[in-house]
């Protein structure tokens, strides 16, 4: 289900625990979806993307799965869901930052990319702007794939 303002505090906490970037989550350019446990109604997974100004590039972000559900393919399904929505929005190229999950993203069809290329393609995104302002951009690992 699409995340709404009502979900924002819970989404932020879920992503904070997953150690993912919270910047710009409330922006209309950031598209987020959540998966809730049918019994407890708590968020157990998230996925999303943020578009470039021209709409041709998508920064895949906020892909997280609760620890007890990892390893069953949900993460790959969520990543594909976000990429499919990005294609529907007009994106031709997907990008992301990940220092820890390279093997996971390779399974999703991503290859190592130049962080500077990502920063140029997605200069207007909240995550790129935050990473550039804080100096974190230089420490990041970029990934990319055609959509």
């Amino acid at each position: 289900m699409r995340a709404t303002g009502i979900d924002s505090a819970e989404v932020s906490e879920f992503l904070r625990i997953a150690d993912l970037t919270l910047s710009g989550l409330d922006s209309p350019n950031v598209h987020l979806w959540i998966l809730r446990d049918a019994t407890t109604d708590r968020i157990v997974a998230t996925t999303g993307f943020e578009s470039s100004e021209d709409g041709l590039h998508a920064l895949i972000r906020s892909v997280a799965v609760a620890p007890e559900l990892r390893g069953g393919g949900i993460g790959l399904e969520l990543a594909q869901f976000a990429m499919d929505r990005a294609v529907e929005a007009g994106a031709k190229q997907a990008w992301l930052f990940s220092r820890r999950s390279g093997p996971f993203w390779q399974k999703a069809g991503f290859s190592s990319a130049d962080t500077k290329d990502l920063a140029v393609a997605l200069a207007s995104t909240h995550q790129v702007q935050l990473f550039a302002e804080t100096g974190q951009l230089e420490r990041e690992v970029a990934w990319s794939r055609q959509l």
Side-chain angles (χ1 to χ4, degrees), residues 2 23-32 49-50 61 124 126:
R2 185 98 187 224
S23 175
L25 291 179
D26 57 351
S27 168
N29 295 332
V30 175
H31 309 277
L32 290 174
F49 74 93
E50 186 172 0
R61 56 178 296 181
S124 66
H126 293 277

Side-chain angles (χ1 to χ4, degrees), residues 65-121:
V65 178
E68 67 272 16
L69 297 177
R70 291 181 189 152
I74 293 172
L76 287 172
E77 288 178 30
L78 291 168
Q80 188 61 55
F81 180 88
M83 288 185 283
D84 290 346
R85 302 297 76 77
V87 167
E88 289 171 3
K92 305 291 184 204
Q93 185 80 23
W95 304 81
L96 60 92
F97 293 111
S98 181
R99 288 178 279 163
R100 302 183 301 253
S101 302
F104 169 83
W105 290 110
Q106 287 174 319
K107 286 181 194 174
F110 284 79
S111 300
S112 181
D114 189 311
T115 304
K116 291 176 187 168
D117 291 341
L118 183 160
V120 168

